[in-house]
Amino acid sequence: MLNGWELQRGVRDLDEQRTERTLTYADAKRGLLVRCVATEYHDFPTVEWTLYFKNTGSGDTPILAEVQALDTRLERTARGEFVLHHYVGSPCTPYDYRPLADELGPRAETRITTTGGRSSNSDLPYFNLEWAEEGLIVAVGWPGQWAAQFTRDEVNGLRVRAGQELTHFRLHPGEEVRTPLIVLQFWQGDRLRAHNLWRRWMLTHNLPRPYGKPVGPHMAACSSHQFGEMINANEENQIFFVDRYLEEGIKLDYWWMDAGWYVNETGWPNTGTWEVDTKRFPRGLRAITDHAHAKGVKSIVWFEPERVTPGTWLYENHPEWLLGPEGEQKLLNLGNPGARQWLTEHVDRLINEQGIDLYRNDFNIDPLGYWRANDTEDRQGITEINYVTGFLAYWDELRRRHLNMLIDTCASGGRRNDLETLRRSVPLLRSDYILEPVAQQCHTYGIAFWIPFYGTGINSTDPYVFRSQMCPHLTGCYDVRNRDLDYGVLRRLYAQWRQSSPYFLGDYYPLTPYSLENDVWMAWQFDQPDLGEGLVQAFRRPNSFYEAARFPLRGLDWDADYTVTSLDEQVPRQISGRELLEKGLLLSLPERPAAAVITYKKVR
């Protein structure tokens, strides 16, 4: 079809490491423009693109259907079958981020989608195809309903297609829409090396950089797990909690005010009136954030603007902005320019007035049914496209107005962690399934393949539990009203996290298989090759019979020696890189359950 259309090409350098290439196809007969905007990376084996469709004619276009942002064919040699590595999303279970692998033999067909319209609700939109010591990473950047299909032929080929799940629409005159972002990263050799190239690319080109620097490890604390919800919080107890953490020597980077600070009558889920409840906060949230700022602590404040419940200001005053049946909770349509403009101005005002440093955006509703119910037969997929485009534009404008402000993406935990979202935010709560140690170990095991920066809650002074919850971001959920808590142990564990947390942004190597069973060991390694340093975390689970285990490490220098130190014993040992790589690091944990945190440093 495109062979008969006029083609224009454009090239420009975005910076030293990125070149943008644009292909624009024009259908003179119908006035349809199809534009592919691609970015070629020079420092990574990576390319990405987004497609745009625009109607420049005077009438509607014909139906555009089954638009695939990616449709390609891979060819393998006779040896080495295709293996598809993919991962569970974050449906709030112990299995969140579980790694899966499917061998794609002749005529095999695998279709993977998210559910409900949130991009990592059931499955992650990141895939690694492996065959014959080479492979291809595929990512779909779309905070909506995506689908990916992998179809094996009878010989050596594999067809890969991905995009928005449902597209069947006409474009009106002047209308433009986009597809999901597609990213391909090519690799050869070792699959774990490929994942580490991906992690480095994420850190270099995608992770938000407030104040011009990559996001580093930090700790917050909140009172929501003590009061049940912020509906029971007030100015006095929020200030009290900030002071108590600092009094006990737990330095906070952020104080986190979660759901319920706004005017509501029936509890935190009653969202849609985004004004501070002055009965509980007579001086606004500003009294708390000013108090925290004076002590070197920034603020996080929770919002959930997309879900609107009956009786709230938005529900009563702007029904034309809402999607959904009358009398039930609705969806604020961010594809509506008026709704998006109001939300941007309103939230921007609250950020400025209340002294908010980090904007936390939750999303506790599946939007897909609302989107599709709003589409006519010849406009299927349009509401979703406009909503996604509006959602990203809303965040982009907030970030433009607040250059150094982080955004926390939360959608019932980690249910909106696609690449377009993560370019604008960080997931401070990777899953709503929190605190239980074995699940927390497994969540880290899986998410670290794809997302270098993530967080979870922490609430224990037991070393095994605390270390199971260690992440680049921690949110303290301690009841510091309890002065009998063992704060000495907490300070020691907190100091160990501060010491070791920078390593979490290094290369990642799992050292054991994935398992949720209670009779095994689990271990992994974070390595910073530029520094010659790293970290090993190992866990002996409650029912494991084995008191000791040996773990061959990865990424080290064969010819160097390393100083190896347990954070508990603080007795350095010197071990050769060859021994750590070949024989492995021997760890003994007599107690069960138990956890070890080991650092190593190359001897210069």
Side-chain angles (χ1 to χ4, degrees):
M1 179 178 68
L2 293 177
N3 288 336
W5 294 16
E6 180 184 348
L7 170 62
Q8 292 185 345
R9 300 176 183 268
V11 179
R12 67 182 181 119
D13 290 331
L14 300 177
D15 51 43
E16 291 184 356
Q17 302 300 343
R18 297 180 303 155
T19 297
E20 180 183 273
R21 303 183 183 275
T22 302
L23 306 176
T24 303
Y25 292 87
D27 177 9
K29 180 179 179 181
R30 299 177 181 85
L32 181 64
L33 291 182
V34 181
R35 182 164 50 98
C36 175
V37 181
T39 300
E40 174 189 355
Y41 290 84
H42 306 301
D43 51 347
F44 290 91
T46 307
V47 64
E48 66 178 59
W49 66 84
T50 306
L51 303 178
Y52 298 85
F53 296 82
K54 185 174 183 178
N55 183 0
T56 64
S58 58
D60 287 353
T61 65
I63 293 288
L64 305 176
E66 298 182 35
V67 176
Q68 299 294 292
L70 171 68
D71 189 345
T72 193
R73 185 177 185 277
L74 305 174
E75 187 83 19
R76 71 178 183 90
T77 61
R79 62 185 181 87
E81 190 52 271
F82 289 104
V83 178
L84 172 63
H85 298 273
H86 57 108
Y87 293 71
V88 174
S90 184
C92 190
T93 71
Y95 292 93
D96 287 8
Y97 304 106
R98 180 183 184 180
L100 304 168
D102 299 334
E103 183 172 294
L104 302 176
R107 298 184 180 179
E109 186 165 333
T110 296
R111 177 179 168 83
I112 300 173
T113 74
T114 190
T115 59
R118 291 183 288 179
S119 56
S120 50
N121 200 7
S122 57
D123 294 83
L124 287 185
Y126 307 97
F127 308 93
N128 196 348
L129 283 161
E130 178 184 22
W131 69 94
E133 297 183 350
E134 62 180 314
L136 177 67
I137 285 175
V138 178
V140 183
W142 187 246
Q145 184 69 17
W146 55 267
Q149 191 152 328
F150 305 87
T151 306
R152 180 79 158 76
D153 64 19
E154 296 182 2
V155 190
N156 294 319
L158 178 70
R159 187 180 183 188
V160 182
R161 287 173 288 175
Q164 185 180 348
E165 184 180 53
L166 176 62
T167 50
H168 183 94
F169 54 79
R170 303 179 190 276
L171 290 181
H172 299 322
E175 188 173 21
E176 183 176 47
V177 296
R178 59 160 288 184
T179 68
L181 168 74
I182 297 294
V183 179
L184 302 183
Q185 188 170 89
F186 302 84
W187 60 270
Q188 291 182 330
D190 181 77
R191 183 174 66 88
L192 291 182
R193 174 180 173 273
H195 277 288
N196 283 320
L197 281 175
W198 174 269
R199 284 174 58 89
R200 295 180 191 182
W201 178 75
M202 287 289 290
L203 290 165
T204 303
H205 292 290
N206 298 280
L207 187 68
R209 302 172 71 90
Y211 300 97
K213 299 179 181 179
V215 178
H218 47 66
M219 179 162 180
C222 73
S223 64
S224 298
H225 291 276
Q226 285 74 50
F227 293 109
E229 53 185 60
M230 278 286 290
I231 190 74
N232 296 315
N234 55 46
E235 178 184 319
E236 181 183 7
N237 59 40
Q238 295 300 284
I239 290 175
F240 169 82
F241 264 78
V242 172
D243 290 346
R244 280 290 297 132
Y245 271 95
L246 300 180
E247 178 185 329
E248 293 296 346
I250 309 299
K251 182 187 181 302
L252 300 179
D253 299 296
Y254 290 94
W255 178 249
W256 176 319
M257 286 178 278
D258 212 66
W261 54 267
Y262 37 86
V263 175
N264 60 80
E265 300 297 332
T266 60
W268 75 265
N270 191 213
T271 53
T273 303
W274 295 104
E275 299 292 349
V276 178
D277 182 355
T278 55
K279 294 178 181 178
R280 291 178 292 124
F281 304 97
R283 296 187 294 166
L285 302 182
R286 189 79 197 210
I288 301 162
T289 60
D290 280 351
H291 180 85
H293 290 159
K295 301 200 171 189
V297 179
K298 297 179 183 179
S299 64
I300 299 172
V301 176
W302 181 99
F303 290 78
E304 193 191 350
E306 294 159 272
R307 187 172 56 84
V308 182
T309 57
T312 59
W313 187 89
L314 275 171
Y315 204 97
E316 299 299 325
N317 288 276
H318 285 285
E320 76 279 12
W321 292 348
L322 307 180
L323 301 175
E326 194 59 37
E328 301 179 14
Q329 71 175 3
K330 296 190 178 188
L331 185 69
L332 180 63
N333 185 7
L334 295 182
N336 181 303
R340 186 173 71 252
Q341 180 66 26
W342 175 87
L343 180 63
T344 303
E345 299 300 332
H346 193 76
V347 171
D348 177 60
R349 176 178 64 80
L350 286 167
I351 289 171
N352 290 323
E353 288 181 354
Q354 305 303 326
I356 297 169
D357 299 296
L358 193 154
Y359 171 74
R360 173 170 164 78
N361 195 125
D362 207 345
F363 191 31
N364 294 302
I365 185 172
D366 279 344
L368 185 61
Y370 296 88
W371 293 336
R372 291 188 175 174
N374 193 57
D375 289 335
T376 58
E377 182 64 29
D378 64 346
R379 297 277 286 172
Q380 295 178 68
I382 286 292
T383 301
E384 177 182 345
I385 293 170
N386 290 338
Y387 189 101
V388 166
T389 304
F391 161 70
L392 296 175
Y394 165 54
W395 277 15
D396 285 342
E397 181 59 18
L398 284 186
R399 296 174 73 228
R400 187 191 69 80
R401 298 185 187 192
H402 303 275
L403 294 176
N404 298 313
M405 182 184 74
L406 271 178
I407 294 176
D408 168 26
T409 175
C410 182
S412 307
R415 303 188 193 209
R416 189 158 59 181
N417 280 342
D418 63 282
L419 186 57
E420 284 279 39
T421 302
L422 293 184
R423 283 183 165 172
R424 297 162 171 85
S425 62
V426 289
L428 299 187
L429 192 63
R430 62 190 177 186
S431 171
D432 269 355
Y433 195 96
I434 61 174
L435 305 178
E436 193 280 312
V438 169
Q440 293 305 298
Q441 295 166 25
C442 288
H443 290 180
T444 294
Y445 187 104
I447 195 174
F449 281 98
W450 296 108
I451 302 174
F453 193 96
Y454 48 85
T456 192
I458 195 158
N459 73 334
S460 179
T461 59
D462 177 274
Y464 174 76
V465 178
F466 186 100
R467 290 167 177 172
S468 298
Q469 299 165 344
M470 285 169 59
C471 288
H473 168 86
L474 295 182
T475 299
C477 304
Y478 297 93
D479 188 350
V480 291
R481 296 171 297 182
N482 177 10
R483 295 179 182 270
D484 294 329
L485 198 67
D486 194 336
Y487 291 101
V489 171
L490 179 56
R491 282 189 289 271
R492 178 171 60 84
L493 292 170
Y494 168 81
Q496 291 178 355
W497 170 79
R498 281 286 184 193
Q499 176 184 345
S500 58
S501 58
Y503 295 124
F504 296 151
L505 300 181
D507 291 345
Y508 168 66
Y509 297 101
L511 302 178
T512 63
Y514 172 96
S515 176
L516 275 162
E517 299 300 321
N518 264 324
D519 59 353
V520 300
W521 285 60
M522 179 171 272
W524 54 75
Q525 173 192 0
F526 288 103
D527 180 64
Q528 292 188 326
D530 54 330
L531 299 178
E533 301 178 15
L535 174 78
V536 174
Q537 290 178 267
F539 304 90
R540 182 189 181 191
R541 295 207 177 138
N543 299 332
S544 172
F545 295 106
Y546 303 104
E547 187 173 310
R550 189 181 290 273
F551 303 102
L553 303 190
R554 301 289 301 268
L556 305 187
D557 185 342
W558 285 83
D559 299 321
D561 289 330
Y562 289 83
T563 300
V564 179
T565 307
S566 164
L567 294 192
D568 285 328
E569 299 169 1
Q570 291 295 326
V571 179
R573 296 178 290 157
Q574 189 161 307
I575 307 176
S576 71
R578 182 174 299 276
E579 179 177 343
L580 291 171
L581 290 165
E582 288 186 337
K583 295 183 178 179
L585 176 65
L586 177 63
L587 297 179
S588 177
L589 296 175
E591 303 296 326
R592 57 180 182 176
V597 181
I598 310 294
T599 61
Y600 59 84
K601 186 172 184 178
K602 188 176 182 179
V603 177
R604 301 295 180 181

